[in-house]
Amino acid sequence: MLSGEPAPTGPARRGAKPPVFPVAAIDDPALPEVLAELAAARADEMDADTVNRELSIARKAIGWWQRQGWIVGDPTIGIERRPAPPDRTKALAENQIAALWRLDVALRVKTFWKMLYESAARADEVLCLNVEDLYPQDKRGKITAKGGATEWIHWQSGTAQLLPRLIARRTRGPLFLTDRKAPAGTPTLDVCPETGRARLSYRRAEEIFEENTRLLANPLASPDDIEDLDGWTLHRLRHSALTHDAEDGTSTPMLLARSRHASVRSLERYARPGVDAVARHVAERDPAARRKR
């Protein structure tokens, strides 16, 4: 956007190389108007959350460049964040989760999804796990959380049953790997010393999940239209796990510990009962159902 070019969308985003742009050009007096037009066009084709996230990233970068003394102005001043209505449907229903487990996918993929849901951990945290970070006998793993803090995630029997097959005889290196050998230049920490394969990236993990859940997310769609459909995001597994815990009566202190949020306010969006829980609540209080009981 800073170079006056529209950002790529769809498959073109993968592997796209951003144009070379001199930071000093940000102080060009004509840039704010160009940037405002591009932001408006971007908002017409993308959802509000995506546009707001990109604007936030740009402003953080600009703020850092200002603190270095490289630029003076901020061309994003005057560009307003887009109103983003709250999404009350992020938590997947329990039958959707059950359908997810029935998909015929690779062991690596199923283990990753199971661990995300059972631990309610963030996807990037789980992808950073190494084999040596695991304590299988305790069904827990040591992760590096936001801010660099060392914390623990815990999983259940579903993950515990899959992990030994995934790990095989490996004793160290990234837990979740790509299918191919790591390309030259891959950081040593992201290469399995025993197989030579690279750590699975967040982008690729998100693509795999989205592609495999398109028909689950659009149950009335035809398989012939799968290329035009949108699937689920990985974050919905974490959101669903915490929502289902809240629906089952898990206490707020335990939800905070499980989610590793710093405040109750951050937890509120997860602790909202889902559509199935509300349906059960209404059904249980139906006068006709009470008379039958």
Side-chain angles (χ1 to χ4, degrees):
M1 291 179 69
L2 293 175
S3 64
E5 299 179 15
T9 59
R13 294 183 62 183
R14 187 176 184 183
K17 294 183 179 180
V20 176
F21 182 76
V23 174
I26 290 177
D27 284 329
D28 184 339
L31 184 58
E33 183 178 352
V34 173
L35 200 58
E37 293 178 357
L38 282 169
R42 183 73 168 161
D44 289 338
E45 61 185 27
M46 304 297 291
D47 62 274
D49 286 335
T50 298
V51 174
N52 291 339
R53 181 173 64 252
E54 292 175 349
L55 180 60
S56 177
I57 292 171
R59 283 177 170 162
K60 287 180 179 178
I62 288 170
W64 190 82
W65 293 330
Q66 288 175 325
R67 291 192 294 274
Q68 308 312 305
W70 298 345
I71 61 173
V72 176
D74 179 354
T76 67
I77 292 177
I79 300 177
E80 297 182 356
R81 291 174 60 85
R82 298 285 165 166
D87 186 351
R88 308 298 190 194
T89 65
K90 287 186 177 179
L92 302 173
E94 292 182 1
N95 66 317
Q96 291 176 308
I97 293 293
L100 181 66
W101 303 148
R102 291 193 295 268
L103 290 179
D104 183 15
V105 294
L107 172 64
R108 172 198 63 180
V109 173
K110 180 165 286 188
T111 307
F112 178 53
W113 296 352
K114 279 276 188 181
M115 183 176 284
L116 284 184
Y117 180 70
E118 292 185 353
S119 68
R122 299 175 179 89
D124 55 347
E125 296 171 338
V126 172
L127 289 170
C128 286
L129 277 172
N130 291 329
V131 174
E132 58 267 35
D133 296 327
L134 307 180
Y135 293 74
Q137 68 278 11
D138 299 321
K139 297 179 183 176
R140 68 177 65 169
K142 185 168 57 177
I143 63 166
T144 301
K146 286 185 176 180
T150 298
E151 296 179 346
W152 296 89
I153 62 172
H154 306 262
W155 52 81
Q156 298 169 327
S157 298
T159 302
Q161 292 170 1
L162 296 170
L163 272 177
R165 295 165 53 199
L166 177 71
I167 297 171
R169 298 180 180 178
R170 292 188 290 139
T171 59
R172 57 200 176 105
L175 175 59
F176 295 102
L177 302 171
T178 58
D179 296 323
R180 303 176 181 177
K181 295 287 186 179
T186 303
T188 303
L189 291 176
D190 292 329
V191 179
C192 174
E194 300 176 18
T195 66
R197 291 152 59 193
R199 187 186 304 276
L200 181 65
S201 69
Y202 184 98
R203 172 178 287 185
R204 181 57 186 147
E206 183 80 276
E207 286 178 349
I208 293 171
F209 189 66
E210 192 273 333
E211 290 170 0
N212 280 278
T213 58
R214 289 178 181 176
L215 291 180
L216 294 182
N218 303 273
L220 299 181
S222 167
D224 296 335
D225 300 326
I226 193 168
E227 294 299 327
D228 300 321
L229 303 176
D230 292 324
W232 296 328
T233 61
L234 286 171
H235 180 71
R236 295 187 70 171
L237 290 176
R238 169 174 164 85
H239 195 114
S240 302
L242 294 172
T243 298
H244 295 165
D245 276 0
E247 291 172 350
D248 291 339
T250 302
S251 67
T252 297
M254 182 56 70
L255 284 173
L256 280 172
R258 184 152 152 75
S259 66
R260 290 171 288 109
H261 279 119
S263 68
V264 175
R265 184 172 184 179
S266 299
L267 184 66
E268 287 178 350
R269 56 180 172 166
Y270 298 98
R272 183 181 299 275
V275 62
D276 284 352
V278 174
R280 286 195 299 270
H281 173 84
V282 173
E284 289 169 358
R285 286 155 181 77
D286 187 333
R290 290 181 178 180
R291 286 194 294 269
K292 290 180 180 179
R293 290 198 296 267

